[in-house]
């Protein structure tokens, strides 16, 4: 549930505010929480319903790509601190995630295939499947037999 109202920067002591809201959200296995939101968009440009929809859509990213990076690729455990190295590691992890999504789309029941299943399949037979895919003119995860 989201309730919003027009606001001014002076009233809330925050720059560029046109609208504020209170969002009550229920997270699985947690008590409900209320968070305050602020935006520079006036109510005529961002209705409460649209604001709620946008807020929910933002969490789709967190529970999709970011969850895969955090859990399967151990992104949060990474201790790389050099900016260039972090960029390279991030690119490889996202590339790996793209390969996973392609691999999963070719599985019999893709809804039950996880990133861990993908890593296991790529590690099978001393990484032959992954290497074959990397070296092929037209890469595919389908077996050659």
């Amino acid at each position: 549930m989201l309730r919003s109202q027009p606001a001014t920067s002076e009233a809330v002591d925050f720059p560029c505010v046109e609208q504020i809201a209170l969002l009550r959200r229920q997270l699985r296995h947690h008590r409900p929480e209320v968070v305050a939101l602020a935006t520079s968009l006036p109510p005529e440009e961002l209705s409460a319903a649209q604001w709620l929809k946008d807020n929910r859509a933002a969490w789709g990213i967190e529970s999709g790509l970011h969850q895969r990076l955090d859990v399967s690729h151990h992104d949060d455990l990474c201790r790389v601190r050099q900016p260039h190295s972090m960029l390279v590691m991030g690119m490889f992890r996202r590339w790996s995630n793209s390969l996973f999504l392609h691999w999963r789309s070719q599985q019999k029941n893709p809804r039950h295939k996880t990133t861990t299943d993908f890593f296991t399949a790529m590690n099978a037979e001393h990484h032959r499947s992954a290497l074959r895919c990397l070296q092929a003119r037209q890469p595919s995860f389908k077996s050659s037999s």
Side-chain angles (χ1 to χ4, degrees):
M1 178 178 80
L2 185 136
R3 289 188 182 168
S4 66
Q5 68 181 48
T8 63
S9 299
E10 295 80 21
V12 295
D13 199 23
F14 198 84
C16 305
V17 171
E18 290 286 330
Q19 191 177 177
I20 58 171
L22 286 177
L23 172 64
R24 182 178 188 270
R25 59 183 171 208
Q26 172 72 49
L27 303 172
R28 237 184 287 162
H29 310 297
H30 295 280
R31 282 187 268 168
E33 65 179 356
V34 177
V35 294
L37 304 172
T39 182
S40 61
L41 295 174
E44 52 273 3
E45 288 185 38
L46 183 65
S47 68
Q50 184 60 45
W51 202 347
L52 182 60
K53 181 180 174 188
D54 291 349
N55 190 275
R56 285 179 177 156
W59 279 99
I61 294 168
E62 186 63 34
S63 62
L65 172 62
H66 290 169
Q67 182 180 16
R68 284 190 199 105
L69 292 174
D70 291 346
V71 176
S72 299
H73 291 84
H74 305 291
D75 213 25
D76 287 345
L77 299 175
C78 181
R79 296 295 171 237
V80 174
R81 295 291 179 253
Q82 297 297 319
H84 183 71
S85 299
M86 289 168 50
L87 175 66
V88 172
M89 291 290 291
M91 288 172 25
F92 275 115
R93 286 182 175 134
R94 282 160 179 77
W95 180 62
S96 170
N97 190 69
S98 295
L99 291 175
F100 158 69
L101 291 172
H102 174 71
W103 173 84
R104 186 177 74 173
S105 72
Q106 297 180 351
Q107 302 306 304
K108 290 181 182 177
N109 194 348
R111 294 183 72 197
H112 296 113
K113 295 295 180 179
T114 66
T115 313
T116 304
D117 297 327
F118 169 69
F119 290 152
T120 301
M122 293 301 105
N123 289 335
E125 299 178 26
H126 305 286
H127 307 283
R128 281 192 184 109
S129 179
L131 291 171
R132 188 179 62 247
C133 184
L134 285 172
Q135 296 170 345
R137 180 170 277 170
Q138 293 185 327
S140 172
F141 288 115
K142 296 178 181 175
S143 63
S144 58
S145 53

